[in-house]
Amino acid sequence: MNPDFMQEAIRLSREKSLEGQGGPFGAVIVKNNKIIARGWNQVLRRHDPTCHAEMVAIRAASRKLRDYRLAGCAIYVNCEPCPMCLAALYWAGIDSIYFAATRQDAGDLGFADDFLYRELLLPPAQRKIPVEQGMRAEALAVFHQWAGLENKIIY
């Protein structure tokens, strides 16, 4: 872990949250020992619950690299990523994740991070938001059609 990169993530979390852009979360994505993207929580500013620091940084890094894969990159975040951000980091193929505060620390402030981790461990029928499955055969027909395409890209 490079403390300079973590310090930048922490600086962003402080500066941007005090500006009222969102919660106190900041992130930087690093490749070849250089920051290639910065992100901070913009949930309030953009009226978008997906604008977490990690998501903003992933989007910026992907645009910069012109690639949806962030292989060879590391992310530094001032707090352990929530399940949405963690999944996005896996989808992006990031190499390393470094964080400072924990999801429990965020939970102590009222953020849902730790709750979401616990919620995802429950069977769908026991979760707070009702989940119902239907029309699987129709959905599978599209999957099978797509699987037969020669130019498909699996990511």
Side-chain angles (χ1 to χ4, degrees):
M1 179 188 299
N2 182 318
D4 293 334
F5 297 140
M6 186 61 77
Q7 188 59 46
E8 177 62 4
I10 292 169
R11 184 193 70 75
L12 286 168
S13 72
R14 178 184 298 110
E15 178 183 305
K16 301 303 183 178
S17 66
L18 292 176
E19 290 175 3
Q21 295 201 24
F25 304 101
V28 295
I29 295 182
V30 175
K31 185 168 188 167
N32 298 326
N33 214 33
K34 288 189 210 171
I35 294 175
I36 63 163
R38 288 173 171 80
W40 54 89
N41 187 289
Q42 297 179 37
V43 168
L44 299 177
R45 179 176 164 232
R46 296 189 181 269
H47 310 287
D48 182 343
T50 70
C51 281
H52 290 198
E54 298 93 330
M55 302 296 279
V56 172
I58 289 168
R59 291 171 184 143
S62 295
R63 281 192 304 272
K64 180 168 184 134
L65 297 177
R66 301 177 62 84
D67 196 345
Y68 65 92
R69 300 291 296 166
L70 298 179
C73 295
I75 190 166
Y76 288 78
V77 287
N78 71 303
C79 187
E80 183 177 3
C82 75
M84 173 184 68
C85 293
L86 182 62
L89 292 165
Y90 271 89
W91 279 113
I94 201 118
D95 286 3
S96 304
I97 301 168
Y98 301 101
F99 68 91
T102 67
R103 63 188 191 227
Q104 292 87 1
D105 295 329
D108 290 346
L109 295 175
F111 290 100
D113 303 53
D114 194 44
F115 161 76
L116 293 172
Y117 273 99
R118 291 190 316 271
E119 186 80 356
L120 291 174
L121 294 175
L122 297 173
Q126 294 179 17
R127 295 181 187 157
K128 299 278 185 216
I129 297 176
V131 178
E132 182 178 327
Q133 183 181 13
M135 299 185 70
R136 181 172 182 246
E138 291 84 349
L140 287 176
V142 176
F143 280 10
H144 294 301
Q145 184 180 28
W146 180 85
L149 297 176
E150 290 186 26
N151 63 345
K152 68 182 171 289
I153 298 174
I154 299 175
Y155 50 91

